[in-house]
Amino acid sequence: MASDFVPKNRDFAQAVRESFGRQGALTSIGAVMEDLVPGSCRIRLPFSERVSQQQGFFHGGIIATVADSAGGYAAMTLTAAGAEVLTVEYKINFLAPAEAPAILAAGRVVRAGRTLSVTWVEVDMVGSDGSLRPCAILQQTIMTVQPRPVVV
Amino acid sequence: MASDFVPKNRDFAQAVRESFGRQGALTSIGAVMEDLVPGSCRIRLPFSERVSQQQGFFHGGIIATVADSAGGYAAMTLTAAGAEVLTVEYKINFLAPAEAPAILAAGRVVRAGRTLSVTWVEVDMVGSDGSLRPCAILQQTIMTVQPRPVVV
Amino acid sequence: MASDFVPKNRDFAQAVRESFGRQGALTSIGAVMEDLVPGSCRIRLPFSERVSQQQGFFHGGIIATVADSAGGYAAMTLTAAGAEVLTVEYKINFLAPAEAPAILAAGRVVRAGRTLSVTWVEVDMVGSDGSLRPCAILQQTIMTVQPRPVVV
Amino acid sequence: MASDFVPKNRDFAQAVRESFGRQGALTSIGAVMEDLVPGSCRIRLPFSERVSQQQGFFHGGIIATVADSAGGYAAMTLTAAGAEVLTVEYKINFLAPAEAPAILAAGRVVRAGRTLSVTWVEVDMVGSDGSLRPCAILQQTIMTVQPRPVVV
């Protein structure tokens, strides 16, 4: 994961990983943030009963949640210190039933704006041999909420 | 909830409610299917810790999952007996932080096709006085998988 | 078309209609702005060769353009005097081949925010008897660019 | 533009280019189909008054139409001989005002299914020095209409 983006916050990785750690909904189901570079973020989720639907595949709502987070955190790598990101909207296509030992959501920033950013996320099924096959793609708009200026 | 749609399956309500009952992911978080008429479906979800994010609002992934289901089941009211529905894709806009005693997702079919249906879902926050305020809207494409002909 | 919205600009109708009049791309193909109330806008487009594709239906790109405009102008009815609206993104589902004497795009605001608004647009085929049948739906995010403060 | 896709129709390029040639709406505004390989398609559109809006940028409706076509034709490279493609739906994000000598829409297939395919399209502004800067991205669902079997 190379990157042409220059982060505004030198400590972007720490800020993103702390925010991710506070997301109980993700960490409690076993999601792990892997690569994190300016403009990109990858989140891996191993299969378990907690993330499955009745046929034993990954649940669509879980896939969307992980993809949404990968895009949002990719955007957050490029925001100023103290800023927060909110999902304005996304669109997701499901490409195949997600039956695999794990899924990997790779989000990247397509446009980094002061207020609005646009990201694109590919979610792959990770085979036991490490092979990747796409199971969903997501296109997303993220809003940055700038930190309030501190008035002394 | 009036309806101009004529269901193909006389027992559509039973088929939909049985499918909903098997969706452990929804029932385990307290989701309840309320109104169900041809072409429309409403699902209510009370607030609880299980469906919240760190600030105490409904989690976006939960909102999307409930909305996705309301649209899919609205479409399923119009399918032939034995058919199944799959989400091809959806697009969701988040309108406001969902802070309320409950949310109510109302899905309705805009186009009912043999293979593809299109639905639109509005998710409202339900106040303690029963008032409704929108927190998300979702537009969705659903695929119907027809039952296989039985060969004797 | 009733409305619960209170416009910020008393002269919203004039502002919207002037902007529409400057949109050469729409007026040159015969589009007409019909109803305009706070939060809603309807644009009608009669059929002609200029708006058709090779099979004699309305062209999908034309349908999207008219729907995009109906949503954007619905949002503009609620902005402050001097503000402009930009389309951030939209998602459109095509429901049926649009073969009719005219189409009618009805846009309405679902969320009116200071910076971001969300609209939903239904496009109907208008029969020679005035009947309406849906041919497309569009869900859209609009950004308001506030007028710059004038410094004397 | 490399490709891992194996086309079903040996003469896919001829079929796609013939279909494109019949699209009067595109060719009449100067659109040219450039690269075409299995699973991918690029369409270039030079700037002219016919494709501009009032401020002298490419019109959003034109950008969407070219992107929609690039995705649809990318999907068509993988269909059987005689099949046709229809746009089910798409979602487009506008990233920047498109002010350039030309735009280039690059569509690629993410999922090729018998009935439904999913594509992703990036639209770039092409500078006079050949540089590319993104101005829109589009995510799309395409339906393949198989040719009817000929009964003698």
Side-chain angles (χ1 to χ4, degrees):
Chain A
M1 293 175 90
S3 169
D4 290 336
F5 288 109
V6 179
K8 291 179 185 158
N9 178 5
R10 277 178 48 183
D11 300 324
F12 75 88
Q14 189 183 339
V16 169
R17 290 187 184 277
E18 279 181 10
S19 172
F20 182 77
R22 288 193 302 269
Q23 288 259 4
L26 284 171
T27 55
S28 73
I29 56 173
V32 177
M33 186 171 283
E34 301 206 330
D35 321 69
L36 189 70
V37 299
S40 298
C41 170
R42 285 191 195 160
I43 298 175
R44 175 187 295 261
L45 179 70
F47 186 77
S48 72
E49 277 209 6
R50 289 172 296 178
V51 300
S52 69
Q53 34 86 288
Q54 61 266 37
Q55 289 137 307
F57 306 142
F58 279 89
H59 191 280
I62 297 286
I63 294 170
T65 300
V66 173
D68 180 19
S69 297
Y73 283 124
M76 192 180 165
T77 61
L78 303 179
T79 60
E84 293 190 12
V85 293
L86 295 173
T87 299
V88 172
E89 58 84 34
Y90 64 75
K91 179 251 204 289
I92 186 166
N93 278 74
F94 296 99
L95 308 175
E99 190 177 18
I103 56 172
L104 181 67
R108 66 180 174 86
V109 174
V110 179
R111 175 191 191 268
R114 180 173 163 78
T115 304
L116 294 181
S117 297
V118 179
T119 74
W120 194 67
V121 184
E122 188 167 325
V123 185
D124 285 304
M125 298 176 268
V126 185
S128 49
D129 58 352
S131 65
L132 300 179
R133 278 186 309 142
C135 64
I137 56 175
L138 179 143
Q139 189 168 313
Q140 182 189 49
T141 307
I142 292 286
M143 184 173 220
T144 300
V145 182
Q146 302 294 344
R148 299 207 186 148
V150 178
V151 180
V152 185
Chain B
M1 293 174 92
S3 168
D4 290 337
F5 289 109
V6 179
K8 291 180 186 159
N9 178 5
R10 278 177 49 182
D11 301 323
F12 75 88
Q14 188 183 339
V16 169
R17 290 186 184 278
E18 278 181 9
S19 173
F20 182 77
R22 287 193 302 270
Q23 288 259 6
L26 285 171
T27 55
S28 73
I29 57 173
V32 176
M33 185 171 285
E34 301 205 331
D35 320 69
L36 190 68
V37 298
S40 297
C41 170
R42 286 192 195 160
I43 298 175
R44 177 187 293 263
L45 180 69
F47 185 78
S48 71
E49 277 209 7
R50 288 171 298 178
V51 301
S52 68
Q53 35 86 287
Q54 62 266 37
Q55 290 136 308
F57 307 141
F58 280 89
H59 190 280
I62 297 286
I63 295 170
T65 300
V66 173
D68 180 20
S69 297
Y73 283 124
M76 191 179 166
T77 62
L78 303 179
T79 60
E84 294 189 13
V85 293
L86 295 174
T87 299
V88 172
E89 60 84 34
Y90 65 75
K91 178 250 203 292
I92 186 166
N93 278 74
F94 296 100
L95 308 175
E99 190 176 17
I103 55 172
L104 181 67
R108 65 180 175 87
V109 173
V110 179
R111 175 192 192 267
R114 180 174 162 77
T115 304
L116 294 181
S117 297
V118 179
T119 75
W120 194 67
V121 184
E122 188 168 324
V123 186
D124 285 305
M125 297 176 268
V126 186
S128 49
D129 58 353
S131 64
L132 299 179
R133 278 185 310 142
C135 65
I137 56 175
L138 178 143
Q139 189 169 313
Q140 182 189 47
T141 306
I142 292 287
M143 183 173 219
T144 301
V145 182
Q146 303 294 343
R148 299 204 186 153
V150 178
V151 181
V152 185
Chain C
M1 293 174 91
S3 169
D4 290 337
F5 288 109
V6 179
K8 292 179 185 158
N9 178 5
R10 279 177 49 182
D11 301 324
F12 75 88
Q14 188 183 342
V16 169
R17 290 187 185 276
E18 279 180 9
S19 173
F20 181 77
R22 287 194 301 270
Q23 288 260 5
L26 284 171
T27 54
S28 73
I29 58 173
V32 176
M33 184 171 283
E34 301 205 331
D35 319 69
L36 189 70
V37 299
S40 298
C41 170
R42 285 192 195 158
I43 298 176
R44 176 187 293 261
L45 179 69
F47 186 77
S48 70
E49 276 209 7
R50 287 171 299 178
V51 299
S52 69
Q53 34 85 288
Q54 61 267 36
Q55 289 136 308
F57 307 142
F58 279 89
H59 191 279
I62 296 285
I63 294 170
T65 300
V66 173
D68 180 20
S69 297
Y73 283 124
M76 192 181 166
T77 62
L78 303 178
T79 59
E84 293 190 12
V85 293
L86 295 174
T87 299
V88 172
E89 59 85 34
Y90 64 77
K91 178 251 203 289
I92 186 166
N93 277 74
F94 296 99
L95 308 174
E99 190 178 17
I103 56 173
L104 181 67
R108 66 182 174 88
V109 173
V110 179
R111 173 191 192 269
R114 180 174 162 77
T115 304
L116 293 182
S117 297
V118 178
T119 75
W120 194 67
V121 184
E122 188 168 324
V123 185
D124 286 304
M125 298 176 267
V126 186
S128 49
D129 58 352
S131 64
L132 299 179
R133 279 185 308 143
C135 65
I137 56 175
L138 178 143
Q139 189 169 314
Q140 181 190 49
T141 307
I142 292 286
M143 183 173 220
T144 300
V145 182
Q146 302 295 343
R148 300 205 184 148
V150 178
V151 181
V152 184
Chain D
M1 293 175 91
S3 169
D4 289 338
F5 289 109
V6 179
K8 291 179 186 158
N9 178 5
R10 277 178 49 184
D11 301 323
F12 75 88
Q14 188 183 340
V16 170
R17 290 186 184 278
E18 278 180 9
S19 173
F20 181 77
R22 286 193 302 270
Q23 289 259 5
L26 284 171
T27 54
S28 73
I29 56 173
V32 176
M33 184 171 284
E34 300 205 330
D35 320 68
L36 189 69
V37 299
S40 299
C41 170
R42 285 192 195 160
I43 298 176
R44 175 187 295 261
L45 179 69
F47 185 77
S48 70
E49 277 209 5
R50 288 170 299 177
V51 300
S52 68
Q53 34 85 288
Q54 62 266 38
Q55 290 137 307
F57 306 142
F58 279 89
H59 190 280
I62 297 286
I63 294 170
T65 301
V66 173
D68 179 19
S69 296
Y73 283 124
M76 191 180 166
T77 62
L78 302 179
T79 60
E84 293 189 12
V85 293
L86 295 174
T87 299
V88 172
E89 60 83 35
Y90 63 76
K91 179 252 204 290
I92 186 166
N93 279 73
F94 296 99
L95 308 174
E99 190 177 17
I103 55 172
L104 181 67
R108 65 181 174 86
V109 174
V110 178
R111 176 193 190 265
R114 179 173 163 77
T115 304
L116 294 182
S117 297
V118 179
T119 75
W120 194 66
V121 184
E122 188 168 324
V123 185
D124 285 305
M125 297 176 268
V126 186
S128 49
D129 58 352
S131 64
L132 299 178
R133 279 185 309 142
C135 63
I137 57 175
L138 179 143
Q139 189 168 314
Q140 181 190 48
T141 307
I142 292 287
M143 183 173 220
T144 300
V145 182
Q146 302 295 344
R148 300 205 184 149
V150 179
V151 180
V152 185

